[in-house]
Amino acid sequence: MGKIVMGPQTLVYPMPTLLVGTNIDDKPNFMTVAWGGIANGEPPMISVAIRHIRHTLKGIRQNGTFSVNIPSADMVREADYCGITSGSKVNKVEACQFEVFYGKLGNAPLIEQCPVNLECKVIHILDLGSHALVIGRIEETHVSESCLTDGEPDVSKIRPITYIMSPVTRYQALGEVLAKAFSVGKELKPGQ
Amino acid sequence: MGKIVMGPQTLVYPMPTLLVGTNIDDKPNFMTVAWGGIANGEPPMISVAIRHIRHTLKGIRQNGTFSVNIPSADMVREADYCGITSGSKVNKVEACQFEVFYGKLGNAPLIEQCPVNLECKVIHILDLGSHALVIGRIEETHVSESCLTDGEPDVSKIRPITYIMSPVTRYQALGEVLAKAFSVGKELKPGQ
């Protein structure tokens, strides 16, 4: 099996599809972010990469807070819309009919229809080039009651969306369960 | 639909399953990381969160480089193994029968069997608490020839693994295509 060299690429599979929320001039706005992930365990932190020109960055700087909302598969149209439009030109909340609520932080807007909502306080903003890497401490987590099983968030009810960059940019659902984590690898442990 | 408040949680769906490679005392080693993602576009950068006690962090500090390898669904056992063992105690390359090669950077070990390999140079190491957030510039990308379609990396051939944290920790494959990105959202655009 040969390898082809392709130069520096932002090629990670799979990426999440996240809706980052901020208040901008006191109005809620959301943008779609695929470049993000958990950044720390204790305390829980998350990072999201946001292009400098984005309206969302203005809101993050104004408030020192933001939210991360996880849309479900039936919100794929709304998730895409929030990535291809700017809050400086359209009212995304209205266009998407998002029901917005606020939690512990008071100024990080959350989307009722998204099964998981994280409220974040900004810890670092790193200028890395085209994007700012915003690192936030997760201050509160909200999960839709209908997406719990025995009190735990259930991925099969949340139905998150992955963002795929290549060969064509598209959204995919999750598929078959491959194995239990912290378990299947034991088969390779010497003496087991 | 009610919401349940769950306190600060590292709850993002979906997370990737990545194998981070380093040379430690000149020997290749790999650990599994789910807390990572693209951190910048131009130049391409990636971030990975690594617990301070991890052997991998020693290798990253020794060399100033690391690799990110994307395992395919048929490597789920190896991916799990590299997360539940330490390179300070076992030879993971041997246990997993990884064929290791080196690229442009010379000291960031890459796994032949993984369809996608990124070579990275360390730009920042942020101490965020329990974890160090390592940010690397992607210097080179290798893709298995068998995973290309018309010269482009093809996710349906790469078959990446998602890591799911709740309700139980497990690995899942990708599923059905939901929609084309930068496209389906146009249905919501006013006047279209």
Side-chain angles (χ1 to χ4, degrees):
Chain A
M1 185 174 72
K3 290 278 182 181
I4 301 294
V5 165
M6 307 198 82
Q9 303 274 344
T10 54
L11 200 64
V12 164
Y13 296 98
M15 296 176 185
T17 303
L18 309 171
L19 289 169
V20 173
T22 48
N23 271 2
I24 305 168
D25 303 331
D26 297 322
K27 282 189 194 117
N29 183 60
F30 298 90
M31 77 169 277
T32 317
V33 169
W35 291 357
I38 295 298
N40 195 59
E42 300 99 39
M45 293 188 194
I46 191 167
S47 71
V48 288
I50 298 175
R51 203 170 273 277
H52 289 294
I53 53 159
R54 282 297 202 148
H55 204 47
T56 290
L57 214 45
K58 186 180 166 189
I60 289 176
R61 290 188 200 278
Q62 278 180 356
N63 299 288
T65 64
F66 62 99
S67 71
V68 175
N69 304 270
I70 299 176
S72 67
D74 58 12
M75 295 173 72
V76 68
R77 203 174 54 155
E78 287 76 8
D80 194 52
Y81 178 81
C82 291
I84 59 179
T85 50
S86 171
S88 66
K89 290 183 188 141
V90 296
N91 184 332
K92 299 193 202 182
V93 171
E94 220 171 69
C96 294
Q97 299 185 287
F98 288 148
E99 289 171 48
V100 173
F101 70 106
Y102 291 86
K104 188 178 171 183
L105 298 179
N107 60 359
L110 306 163
I111 300 170
E112 180 73 31
Q113 291 100 323
C114 287
V116 178
N117 320 93
L118 307 174
E119 294 185 68
C120 308
K121 199 176 264 181
V122 175
I123 298 296
H124 292 289
I125 301 181
L126 291 183
D127 178 4
L128 295 178
S130 59
H131 288 63
L133 188 69
V134 180
I135 300 169
R137 198 169 57 220
I138 300 165
E139 298 284 341
E140 190 56 276
T141 309
H142 305 257
V143 181
S144 297
E145 209 169 349
S146 60
C147 292
L148 300 176
T149 296
D150 298 332
E152 293 296 324
D154 188 338
V155 66
S156 61
K157 296 176 179 174
I158 292 165
R159 298 189 302 130
I161 304 169
T162 72
Y163 173 68
I164 297 300
M165 283 192 82
S166 180
V168 288
T169 54
R170 67 189 191 195
Y171 304 104
Q172 282 187 233
L174 297 197
E176 56 165 330
V177 175
L178 297 168
K180 234 175 114 180
F182 307 106
S183 173
V184 66
K186 286 181 189 164
E187 293 170 18
L188 281 172
K189 274 196 174 176
Q192 293 196 355
Chain B
M1 185 175 74
K3 292 276 181 182
I4 301 294
V5 166
M6 306 198 82
Q9 303 276 343
T10 54
L11 199 65
V12 165
Y13 297 97
M15 295 176 185
T17 303
L18 309 171
L19 289 167
V20 173
T22 48
N23 271 2
I24 305 168
D25 303 330
D26 296 323
K27 282 187 195 121
N29 183 62
F30 298 91
M31 77 168 278
T32 316
V33 169
W35 292 357
I38 296 298
N40 195 58
E42 300 99 36
M45 292 188 195
I46 191 167
S47 71
V48 288
I50 299 175
R51 204 169 274 275
H52 288 295
I53 53 159
R54 282 295 202 148
H55 205 47
T56 290
L57 214 46
K58 187 180 166 189
I60 288 175
R61 291 188 201 277
Q62 280 179 356
N63 301 287
T65 64
F66 63 99
S67 71
V68 175
N69 304 269
I70 299 176
S72 65
D74 57 12
M75 297 174 70
V76 69
R77 204 175 53 157
E78 287 77 7
D80 195 51
Y81 178 81
C82 290
I84 60 180
T85 51
S86 171
S88 66
K89 289 182 187 142
V90 296
N91 183 331
K92 299 193 202 182
V93 171
E94 221 171 68
C96 295
Q97 299 186 287
F98 288 148
E99 291 171 45
V100 173
F101 71 106
Y102 292 86
K104 187 178 171 183
L105 298 179
N107 60 0
L110 307 163
I111 301 170
E112 179 73 32
Q113 291 100 324
C114 287
V116 178
N117 319 93
L118 307 174
E119 295 185 66
C120 308
K121 198 176 266 182
V122 175
I123 299 294
H124 293 289
I125 301 181
L126 291 184
D127 179 4
L128 295 179
S130 59
H131 288 63
L133 188 69
V134 180
I135 299 168
R137 199 170 55 218
I138 300 165
E139 299 283 342
E140 190 55 276
T141 309
H142 305 257
V143 181
S144 297
E145 209 170 348
S146 60
C147 292
L148 300 176
T149 296
D150 298 332
E152 294 295 325
D154 188 339
V155 66
S156 61
K157 296 177 179 173
I158 292 165
R159 297 189 302 130
I161 304 168
T162 73
Y163 173 70
I164 297 300
M165 284 192 81
S166 180
V168 288
T169 55
R170 68 189 189 195
Y171 304 104
Q172 282 187 235
L174 297 197
E176 55 163 333
V177 175
L178 297 167
K180 235 174 113 178
F182 307 106
S183 173
V184 67
K186 287 181 189 166
E187 293 169 18
L188 281 172
K189 275 196 173 177
Q192 291 193 355

